Amino acid sequence: MKKYELVADKIKDYINKEQLHHGDKLPTITDLMKKYQVGKSTILQAITLLTQRGIVYKVQGSGVFVRPTGQDGYMSLTDNAGFAHVLKKPTTEVIEFSEKKAPKPISEHLHSNEECYFIKRLRKQDGKPFVLEESYYRKSIIPFMSKEIAEGSIFDYIREGLKKEIRFSDKYMRVRKLTADEAKYLELKEGDPCLEVYDTFYLANGTAFDSSKLVYNYKNSKFYDQSSDDII
Amino acid sequence: MKKYELVADKIKDYINKEQLHHGDKLPTITDLMKKYQVGKSTILQAITLLTQRGIVYKVQGSGVFVRPTGQDGYMSLTDNAGFAHVLKKPTTEVIEFSEKKAPKPISEHLHSNEECYFIKRLRKQDGKPFVLEESYYRKSIIPFMSKEIAEGSIFDYIREGLKKEIRFSDKYMRVRKLTADEAKYLELKEGDPCLEVYDTFYLANGTAFDSSKLVYNYKNSKFYDQSSDDII
């Protein structure tokens, strides 16, 4: 993690601890420099990152202000920090762990027809299923995977174990009716609504390494998105 | 529109016209400076904007590369350019135009309990309804509105007519079943699935001026989101 990213996290923590609300003003750049003992350019980079992430906005000539933060129980659709950061007591049940090629449209999202690790998982919060996940990880890029890793955070393993940088993702989403099989896992009825998301993740060199299909339980999942503040 | 925003649009057009695909390399910074007759800092700002919007990514020491673009028929959930840019032959039918106070949770999103313009619209594409929209515009901020304006692009009117800058938005989303009344407008059945989005828009000074509830027809709407490339 770079210095400005650490400072951005500290400013975010400060916003949370001080319980700042929509429109509250952040300390000045000079005050932030003193507070975190870093130079002006680090503070400016941290502020830029926070505007990109929709956490603050700049008003020319007036300063930097806080944006509304996600309401309780809402998951970010666009930040890829994972569920663990927003959910209480999430658990993961590995339903299948095997090796196979990805079917369409996953193989198209991956730009590859090679052998993958296939991992089917059910995520629960407080015992309630909120998402059924079918993931394909390219074996040429993620050379080792195990059921034990899949029971925890696969992304933490890729970042910390394999020292690879996960950089961006594409999502394709639609609403549809649940199949009987999906409904069984999600503890709903066949034909009940769901959000289906195809999510593809890329490394820092632009290589797609994982593509997943996620099927969300409509009763147990809500989402938010704070657009980037576009001024740069 | 600022110079770097114009250049960013030109680079985006270039990517589309040349039909560049995922992983294709953009011309070098020097070549782009020559091509668009602007300085280095303008090109760098344009590239930063395009990375924020998920259109390109930077690989340190290698250059700038193209990301996959939204598939046909998918609407961006996060860019606020409006439907007209992605849909073929969109039409708008104004169902109700009146003045009233916003109910909860809209009034909470607006941080205001004042009188609003209320506009209920049905959007169709190729004659098929894809979203039912109930919008509240604060009268103290948008002092004039008419049914005729609501039949076109309200945001174009705010930008071009009122010369106000629309800067960012918050969205809260969930999947649920349609009510009988919604189903009638969307030409679906009561209990069919839908995506419900609460969308609040802010001006450059951070003031919320519009909050809307959107109910999407699950058969006629699909979405994509390309995350920002976080490197700055």
Side-chain angles (χ1 to χ4, degrees):
Chain A
M1 208 181 239
K2 289 172 186 152
K3 194 158 64 165
Y4 72 84
E5 293 174 323
L6 286 170
V7 173
D9 278 353
K10 282 181 188 169
I11 295 174
K12 201 179 158 184
D13 288 345
Y14 167 82
I15 291 169
N16 290 336
K17 266 182 207 146
E18 298 289 316
Q19 298 188 296
L20 298 187
H21 291 99
H22 173 69
D24 286 345
K25 196 175 170 178
L26 276 196
T28 63
I29 304 296
T30 318
D31 287 346
L32 291 171
M33 285 165 65
K34 274 185 210 154
K35 191 174 165 68
Y36 300 114
Q37 293 289 304
V38 293
K40 188 170 180 178
S41 72
T42 303
I43 293 293
L44 292 178
Q45 282 180 302
I47 296 290
T48 300
L49 189 60
L50 292 171
T51 60
Q52 281 180 10
R53 294 196 173 154
I55 293 162
V56 301
Y57 61 96
K58 295 184 235 176
V59 178
Q60 216 159 2
S62 298
V64 179
F65 299 85
V66 173
R67 288 183 58 180
T69 41
Q71 294 173 4
D72 250 15
Y74 285 79
M75 286 181 271
S76 170
L77 253 191
T78 46
D79 108 21
N80 293 316
F83 305 125
H85 299 256
V86 281
L87 297 177
K88 287 162 202 157
K89 303 186 206 159
T91 58
T92 300
E93 180 190 326
V94 178
I95 297 165
E96 186 181 336
F97 181 89
S98 61
E99 294 176 27
K100 56 172 134 175
K101 290 189 179 186
K104 281 187 184 180
I106 298 257
S107 59
E108 288 169 353
H109 291 309
L110 283 173
H111 299 279
S112 160
N113 198 28
E114 71 186 45
E115 195 82 358
C116 291
Y117 288 107
F118 171 72
I119 301 161
K120 184 171 178 174
R121 305 194 292 183
L122 182 64
R123 306 290 193 101
K124 293 184 181 182
Q125 179 185 216
D126 270 338
K128 294 177 187 167
F130 71 90
V131 67
L132 182 66
E133 200 187 86
E134 294 187 355
S135 302
Y136 290 84
Y137 288 87
R138 290 172 65 185
K139 288 190 69 179
S140 67
I141 298 165
I142 309 296
F144 180 77
M145 182 70 78
S146 71
K147 192 165 176 288
E148 288 64 40
I149 292 168
E151 281 162 355
S153 167
I154 296 175
F155 276 24
D156 281 355
Y157 161 67
I158 290 170
R159 285 198 197 93
E160 289 153 31
L162 301 180
K163 303 284 178 208
K164 287 181 191 283
E165 187 192 345
I166 301 168
R167 263 276 280 283
F168 53 85
S169 74
D170 302 318
K171 296 183 205 303
Y172 290 92
M173 291 166 269
R174 65 179 177 128
V175 169
R176 63 166 170 82
K177 295 180 180 179
L178 285 173
T179 66
D181 187 59
E182 291 163 345
K184 184 189 71 184
Y185 288 113
L186 292 173
E187 296 170 17
L188 291 168
K189 291 194 183 110
E190 181 178 357
D192 271 349
C194 73
L195 180 70
E196 175 193 74
V197 181
Y198 280 96
D199 209 346
T200 304
F201 289 90
Y202 298 81
L203 297 177
N205 65 3
T207 308
F209 67 93
D210 159 34
S211 192
S212 300
K213 183 175 82 173
L214 298 106
V215 178
Y216 286 93
N217 180 312
Y218 80 107
K219 288 188 177 168
N220 302 336
S221 56
K222 295 178 290 185
F223 306 91
Y224 74 94
D225 174 70
Q226 300 192 182
S227 78
S228 174
D229 180 5
D230 256 345
I231 291 280
I232 51 172
Chain B
M1 207 182 236
K2 288 173 186 151
K3 193 157 68 164
Y4 72 83
E5 292 174 324
L6 285 170
V7 172
D9 277 354
K10 283 181 187 169
I11 295 173
K12 200 179 160 185
D13 287 345
Y14 168 82
I15 290 170
N16 290 337
K17 267 183 206 144
E18 298 289 316
Q19 299 189 297
L20 299 187
H21 290 100
H22 174 69
D24 285 346
K25 195 175 170 178
L26 276 196
T28 62
I29 303 296
T30 318
D31 288 344
L32 291 172
M33 285 164 63
K34 274 184 210 155
K35 191 173 164 67
Y36 300 114
Q37 293 290 306
V38 292
K40 190 171 178 177
S41 72
T42 304
I43 294 293
L44 292 178
Q45 283 180 301
I47 297 289
T48 300
L49 189 60
L50 292 170
T51 59
Q52 280 179 9
R53 294 196 173 153
I55 293 161
V56 302
Y57 61 95
K58 295 183 235 176
V59 178
Q60 217 161 1
S62 297
V64 180
F65 299 84
V66 173
R67 289 183 58 178
T69 41
Q71 293 173 5
D72 251 14
Y74 285 80
M75 287 181 271
S76 170
L77 253 191
T78 46
D79 109 21
N80 293 317
F83 305 125
H85 299 256
V86 283
L87 297 176
K88 286 162 202 156
K89 301 187 209 159
T91 57
T92 300
E93 180 190 326
V94 177
I95 297 165
E96 187 182 336
F97 181 88
S98 59
E99 294 177 28
K100 56 173 133 175
K101 290 189 179 188
K104 282 188 183 181
I106 298 257
S107 59
E108 287 168 354
H109 291 310
L110 284 174
H111 300 280
S112 159
N113 197 29
E114 71 185 44
E115 196 81 358
C116 290
Y117 288 107
F118 171 71
I119 301 162
K120 185 170 178 176
R121 305 194 293 181
L122 181 65
R123 306 290 193 103
K124 293 185 180 181
Q125 180 185 215
D126 271 337
K128 294 176 186 166
F130 72 91
V131 68
L132 182 66
E133 203 185 85
E134 294 186 355
S135 301
Y136 289 85
Y137 288 86
R138 290 172 64 186
K139 288 189 70 180
S140 68
I141 298 164
I142 310 295
F144 179 77
M145 183 71 77
S146 71
K147 192 164 177 285
E148 289 64 40
I149 291 168
E151 279 162 358
S153 167
I154 296 175
F155 277 24
D156 282 355
Y157 161 67
I158 291 170
R159 284 197 197 95
E160 290 154 30
L162 302 180
K163 302 285 178 208
K164 287 181 191 282
E165 188 192 346
I166 301 168
R167 264 276 280 284
F168 53 85
S169 74
D170 303 318
K171 296 182 206 302
Y172 290 91
M173 291 166 269
R174 65 180 177 128
V175 168
R176 62 167 170 81
K177 294 181 181 177
L178 285 173
T179 65
D181 187 59
E182 292 164 343
K184 183 189 71 182
Y185 287 113
L186 293 172
E187 296 170 19
L188 290 169
K189 290 193 184 108
E190 181 178 358
D192 270 350
C194 72
L195 180 69
E196 175 193 74
V197 181
Y198 280 95
D199 208 346
T200 304
F201 289 90
Y202 298 81
L203 297 176
N205 65 3
T207 308
F209 67 94
D210 160 35
S211 193
S212 300
K213 181 174 84 174
L214 298 107
V215 179
Y216 286 93
N217 180 312
Y218 80 108
K219 288 188 176 167
N220 301 336
S221 57
K222 297 178 289 184
F223 306 91
Y224 76 93
D225 174 72
Q226 300 194 181
S227 77
S228 176
D229 180 4
D230 257 346
I231 291 281
I232 52 172

